[in-house]
Amino acid sequence: MSVVKSPLSDTDLKTVGDALQGALVDLLDLSLVAKQVHWNVVGPRFRSVHLQLDDVVDTARQHSDTVAERASAIGVNPDGRAATIARSTAINSVSDGWIKDVDAVKSLVDALGVVIGRMRERIEATETPDPVTQDLLIALTADLEKHAWMFQAESA
């Protein structure tokens, strides 16, 4: 059943829908990983890393809503269920227990690197079928790259 009529062809809708769904999974998992690390970070840089992690969570959650609403707007059902995220994520899980600030930073650098790489693939894939979605992906990738820069600078 399709409630919303898409302005895209079936082929383009499949490409764009897959890109948006993948972006949604990555953003939701990034927010979960960052929050898990946020709750468990310890060490001399606790406060700065703790606050920086909340910035990542806020960015990921804001963009995940935008991505899901874009999917809905073009007639694609967004799927942010936990089982879907667990099945589809490419982000490595973080260890349980306390996480030293140095390891927390490394975890976020790695997670952001994975997500940014996948977002850049989606930017390329959506260039022709839907420049509107491509523009959305470009903007959110820029925000993620800013976070990646800040975490990399933290570990220098």
Side-chain angles (χ1 to χ4, degrees):
M1 173 176 94
S2 179
V3 176
V4 178
K5 174 91 173 100
S6 177
L8 304 177
S9 71
D10 289 345
T11 303
D12 289 348
L13 186 61
K14 171 80 169 110
T15 299
V16 174
D18 288 350
L20 288 167
Q21 180 58 40
L24 179 62
V25 165
D26 284 350
L27 291 166
L28 290 172
D29 197 31
L30 179 62
S31 73
L32 293 170
V33 166
K35 203 48 139 166
Q36 180 67 23
V37 174
H38 167 89
W39 292 323
N40 291 286
V41 66
V42 295
R45 295 182 301 168
F46 162 80
R47 182 161 173 72
S48 65
V49 173
H50 183 79
L51 295 173
Q52 200 172 348
L53 287 161
D54 263 344
D55 291 342
V56 173
V57 171
D58 292 344
T59 295
R61 287 181 178 169
Q62 178 185 6
H63 284 300
S64 66
D65 191 52
T66 301
V67 164
E69 288 178 356
R70 176 65 185 156
S72 293
I74 62 168
V76 173
N77 296 105
D79 186 354
R81 296 173 297 168
T84 302
I85 296 166
R87 181 177 60 248
S88 307
T89 189
I91 300 172
N92 290 330
S93 63
V94 295
S95 60
D96 60 346
W98 303 116
I99 302 169
K100 295 180 90 64
D101 51 6
V102 175
D103 296 329
V105 169
K106 182 181 179 341
S107 291
L108 262 291
V109 167
D110 292 347
L112 285 161
V114 167
V115 173
I116 290 166
R118 289 167 52 110
M119 291 299 178
R120 286 187 160 272
E121 291 171 4
R122 294 176 185 118
I123 289 168
E124 188 175 320
T126 56
E127 178 180 11
T128 300
D130 188 20
V132 175
T133 295
Q134 184 194 40
D135 186 54
L136 182 151
L137 295 172
I138 289 168
L140 75 87
T141 302
D143 287 348
L144 295 176
E145 287 177 348
K146 183 176 180 181
H147 287 299
W149 157 54
M150 292 183 174
F151 274 104
Q152 289 174 52
E154 184 82 31
S155 64

